[in-house]
Every structure is written in C-alpha cells, then in structure tokens.
Amino acid sequence: MTKEEIIRPENKVYSRPALLTDVHTHYCPGCSHGVVHKLIAEILGETGLGDKAIGIAPVGCAVFAYNYIDIDWIEAAHGRAPALATAASRLNPEALVFTYQGDGDLSAIGTAETIHACNRGENIAIIFINNAIYGMTGGQMAPTTLLGMKTATTPYGRRVDLNGYPLAITDLLAQLDGTCYVTRQAVHTPAAARKTKAAIKKAFENAAAKRGTSVVEIVSTCNSGWKMTPAQSNDWMAEHMFARYPLGDLKNVEPQQTTDK
Amino acid sequence: MKEEIVIAGFGGQGVLSMGKILAYAGLMDNLEVSWMPSYGPEQRGGTANVTVILSDKAISSPVLDTFDTAVVLNQQSLDKFESKVKPGGTLIYDPSGIHHLPTRTDIKVVPVDAMGASIELKNAKTYNMILLGALLACRPIVPVDAVLRGLKKTLPERHHHLLPLNEEALRKGMSLV
Amino acid sequence: MEEVKLMKGNEAIAHAAIRYGADGYFGYPITPQSEVLETLAELMPWETTGMTVLQAESEVAAINMVYGGAATGKAVMTSSSSPGVSLKQEGISYLAASELPALIVNVMRGGPGLGTIQPSQSDYFQATKGGGHGDYHLIVLAPATVQEMADFVGLGFDLAFKYRTPAMILADGIVGQMMEKVVLPPQRARRTEEEVRQQCPWAACGRRGRDHRNVVTSLELDSAKMEENNLRFQRTYAEITANEVRYQEYFTEDAEYLIVAFGSVARICLKAIEDARAAGVKIGMLRPITLWPFPTTEIARLAKQVKGVLTVELNAGQMIEDVRLAVEGAVPVHHFGRMGGIVPNPNEVLAALEEKFSIKF
C-alpha cells in the first residue's frame, strides 16, 4: 500500500482545526490551555461561528490566545474581559462574543466585572480556566488555590487564617439570574475533553442566540506551577481538585424567552 | 440691560426652580441667560442658592461676588447676601423666620410675606411664584408673558393644569409690592 | 435654524452625544456629572438612534466597556468626575496604547482623595501629562460654556477618530452644573456596520469574510517592536501638536498684562478684564481650548508684548508650568488659584493682578 493510497479523505480521522493558527504556542507541555484552545478552534470552525466571533483575551497565561485562534480578538486589561465583552456584545449584536479567562483574572482582580456581567445576563460566553495557581507570573496563589497547596506566595501551603478559603466562584455565578448555563468540566481525558467541547459549543450557541450568560469552568492543570509531571498533574487534579470543584452542570436553563425588551 | 440676581433659601423652598423659571423667561425674551446653582448635599434641607444673570449682551462670568438683586428666604441667606447687594440694588426677603432684619440703607429693602400669601392661595407650592411676582414688580426685567411661557417650558405637560394657579400666584406676588 | 435651548452643561453633553450618532455610553454616577447618564437614560436613545447606554458597576468597568466598544470600531464614550477619572486611568492608558478612538469626559471636582464635590481644575496634570502609565497623551478640550460642552462632543469624537487616540473633555463643576443657552448640533445617523468596517479597517468586530484576523492589543514583548510602537505614538502626537492647537484671545492687541486661564475660570477672568479696562488697565487673555496640545507658540508670541503673565486656575498651580515653558523667562509669570472647591470671583482676580504686578486700579 502506497502512501498516496493511505492519505485519502475517506481515511481521514483527524486534522488540525482550520482556525488554529500554524504556530508554536508558548504553553508548557501538558498544560490544559492547548487542549481548550483546540476545542474552541474546532467548534468555531465546525459551527461557522468563527466568522462572527470576537474573543476577549485575558491577562495571564492565555494573554496570547489571540495568536493561536484565527478570529478577531481584543486583549483586555487584567480582569476586565467581561466589561469589554459587555460593550462588544451590546454594540455588535450580530457577533458571537466570548471571554477566555484564568482564575486570577476572573475570580480575583476581575470579580466585580465577572459577577456584574453575569448578573446583567450579557449575551456572552465565559470560558474559565481554573488551575488553582497563577501560571504566568510564576506560580503564586490564586483565589482557587486549595488549602494546603504550596505556591510561591504560600510556600508552606495555603492556610485559612492567612489566605482564606478556596473560592468556588462558579457556584456563585450559577446563583445569578442572568446566567443561563453554568457548568464545570475538565480536559484530562479524551472523554472529559469531549464533554468540555459539547459544553463550550452550547455556551457559544447560547451567546449567539442571546440567551444570557454562559459560564464554562474547566478545572485544569498547571504542571509547571504545581511542580509535577503532566501525568502526575492529571492524577493530582482528579484526586484533589474535583473534591472542591466537582464536575457537572450547575445550571442549565432550557432556551426560552429570557429577556424583556 | 443686565441684571445679576441671587436667590437663596432652604432646599425645598423652590429656590432653584424659581431661578430656572426666570432663566427660561429670559430665554423667551431673547436675552442671554446663565443659571448657576449651588449643588450637592446642601440641596437637601440645607441652604441652596442660585445665581441668575439676564443680559442683552454675552455673559462672561456666571460666578459673581455682588448682585443687583437678592431674594433671600431664610436668616442664613440674609446674613450671607445682604452685604453682597450692590449699592442702589434691591433686597427682597420673606420676613417669616427672619429674626435679624436687614440694616442697609443704601439699597432698596422689600419684605414680601410670600408665606402668608401662599397660605391664602391654599397651596404651599405657589410660594416661589409669589416671590418671583414680587421680584418682577420691583425689577421688571422680563415681561410677565415671557415668565408664563418660560414656566410652561419648565413644567412637564402633566402639570400644565397648574399654569393658571401659578399665574395667579405670580400676580398676587406683584400686588404685594 | 436649530432651536435655542436652555440646559446644563452635563445635559448638553448627553444631547450632543446622541446627536453626533454615538454608538455607546458607559458610565457610573458621581457628582457633579451624574446628569450625563441621567439625561441619556431619560432620552432613551436606544429607541431612536440605537445608541447603547449602560450604567456600569464601576468606573473601572465603564472605561473597559469603552475599551471593548472602541476596539470594535464604535464611537463610544464615558463621563465621570475626578475620583472616578482616577479609576479610569488604567483603561485610558490601554486605549491610548491600542490606538483606539474614544471620548472621556471629566467634570472636575476638588481633590485629592474624595475631596469635595465643588468645582476644581486640579486634574490638569493628570489630563495633559498622560494620567495613566506609559508615554502617551490625550487630546484635551477645555469647554468654557454650555455651548462648548455640546460642540466638543463632536469635535472630540472627530479628532479621536482622525488620529486614532482617545480625547478628553476636561470640564469642571461650574460648566457642568450651570444652565445657559445652547444650540445643539443636527441629528446624525449612527454609522452603519459597513461604514464602521470601512472607516475602521482595524476594528475587531468579527471577520465576516475578511482575509485576516484583527487583533486589538497593547501588548508587545519584543522591545524593538514596542519601541517602534512608541515612536509611532509619538509621531501621532507630533502631528496633533502641529495641527490641532486651539485657543481664543481676548483683548490681546493692546494688552500690557496677559491672563492665561481655561474653562469656566476664563469667564470669571473675562469679567475681571472688563472691569480692569473700565478702570483704564489694559489686560488681555489667552484661553487655551486645547490643553493638550498646548498653545505654546501663541503664548510665547504674546509674552514678547506684555509686562507679565498671570495664570488663574482652580488648583495650586498646574497649567502655570506649561505657561512658564512657553514664556521661557521673558517676563514674570505668576499664579493665582483657589482650591477645595472655592471659585474666585472677578474681584479676587483683580486683587491678584494688583498684588503680583503692583498695578493700581
């Protein structure tokens, strides 16, 4: 069998998503960001939504997300992505607007913007990478850092008396009337990645259909910050992170007339 | 023609709206006008004042130190503005609640019992229109017709049934001087 | 002929924004400028022109909404007063760095800190020297009348789009709160999506078949490229400085002393000048309309003709630094200012002239 006989459309089982740009990412090997980027690029390509998408990039490890997914992007100031998305969405009702944010961006410095965008029910999707650490700045504590977890700023482990409790902000967002779909997923196994893909797709469709705010938290690993191998990170996440951040839908309001004029 | 007026009293006495009606009257009469309020928390129960300038020429400063005419509705305002009336100017005040009467003799001092008159009209809200009438009787800077048209501009449509009462108050005020 | 209306400066800003065809306003209440948002809410432009009006959760959110809207090519604005404008500085720096047009209105009150709600001009440094981090400038317009409050909305947007840089209207509590006559500009339609895409080919508003993606960002970690970005910003600022200086002169032809004042304070000074001239003393005034770019050349020219210059400001002496740079020691330059929300009256200006230059009135 020749190579030409093998490389035929009917034999094709996988190809690089068209909207994933042909560059090396700056992400560490084993990082969850790469998987989530690929899922987003796939969805935007498969649904055709990429042509009308405006992505809002955060400050943090995903600051260069705009280099990897071939759509229009706006790079926000730290924590302000939901504010940018609010205006981009309201002023461009035909566009699909989504933010891509980490735990520091979304649940520390940008808590107010996050809560109020969700509470107003902005027609946007929020993709939230929770790896319980600040990756970009070198592994400091995040609001979502687990108790006892060692980081650069909690070198002896996070303590309640010093640092307070891990913040499950997604639980809080699910309580708000403006959110229509709030879910917590992961990408540590192919099965989990498939569920995450379905969740992001649903969030994008909700935003495009003006159903309110959708939040997809992806409990993720940061093997560099956690000082583990990628495989160890996945195991550690399943063992420890899921206990505090259990996977599954927190809220799923079926499509209906959600907004008064 | 240029008239520099200050109106001062408690918040809620209609000080700012009286100034506003006067400014609108100036607008109706094709004059240049400026209306500069004190603003902030003092509007709620404390003292409020507004500077209104009507002129047939462009107005430079909306902020003034001395005035042709002062309308003062409480003791603090009298204490503050009596000295700021230009010699030969006019000071109009409502004697209700005034314990220390004005003392200047180089200005025209006009007491107007607007409180009593508004009780006669059985409507406390006519208070500032009575004073405005008194002001116009002392200083006929804009025609009554312009005031009524100015009032119509400032009043929302749903309150237009109050226009006759306001005209009555204006004329009553004029008769008090 | 447009109808002459009577309104507050803050209200004029709101009306003018709708008339300009602005796409969005994002604000947060603060005295003494809350009438901007209140007037917009009352006028409901979303029902007429389709303009978006939103009360944000904070000044920080509001300026970042402006950033997000501007990045999609829309004509967007915010307004606030001094403490709120301090909060907006991060977003303003990002707008400048991302070369985005936007309009920011500061109706100044006295500071520092929570300060007072009364009028002030103590944000001159903040507005004209950058304000946030990094090397940037805003185009700064200083209105002295309610008419200029209305007119500078259109002018500010036009300049912002022409040079792709944020513009600021630097007003104060006096001109924000006072009412006077105004003729509003004619109603313009908002730009269509196609017009936005044509006018702003850089806008990140969704590709819709465009052969490349648009990315609006202020980030550039390659220092050589970042320096090139900075040099490009500076070229824009040089072009603005060369073309957009605006000012007004009063009685300067025969002036022996010159007042430099901006905004509503210039009106107080004008009254003082009228009084001085009545007493036979020839005072003139230059009122900068653009505080950045500053009318340096014009002040230098007038400095050759007068015996002294007085700046009158509602601050401890901020614009005086730019005036001194213009005058370059040719004649004495003095400052007279009040702070804390105190507004001087014309007599105080005359007294200051008397004291600083030993003039007798």
Side-chain angles (χ1 to χ4, degrees), chain B residues 51-66:
Chain B
T51 301
V52 178
I53 307 173
L54 302 180
S55 174
D56 52 16
K57 293 195 186 65
I59 294 164
S60 50
S61 176
V63 178
L64 300 169
D65 187 42
T66 56

Side-chain angles (χ1 to χ4, degrees), chain C residues 159-222:
Chain C
L159 291 173
F161 272 91
K162 182 175 177 186
Y163 294 101
R164 275 185 66 183
T165 194
M168 176 178 272
I169 295 179
L170 190 68
D172 58 63
I174 299 172
V175 76
Q177 289 295 326
M178 73 179 290
M179 286 204 306
E180 60 185 349
K181 285 190 191 177
V182 60
V183 177
L184 295 172
Q187 180 67 55
R188 296 195 334 185
R190 286 171 55 236
R191 293 164 303 155
T192 62
E193 293 303 315
E194 279 321 300
E195 286 167 339
V196 170
R197 281 170 181 270
Q198 206 163 18
Q199 186 186 1
C200 308
W202 43 264
C205 48
R207 285 178 61 168
R208 293 181 194 282
R210 197 190 321 110
D211 63 1
H212 61 279
R213 70 179 182 278
N214 281 343
V215 175
V216 173
T217 181
S218 59
L219 179 67
E220 180 50 73
L221 294 184
D222 180 332

Side-chain angles (χ1 to χ4, degrees), chain B residues 88-108:
Chain B
T90 305
L91 174 70
I92 297 168
Y93 74 99
D94 184 335
S96 52
I98 299 287
H99 312 294
H100 310 290
L101 295 175
T103 55
R104 280 180 66 179
T105 53
D106 62 333
I107 58 174
K108 190 175 161 192

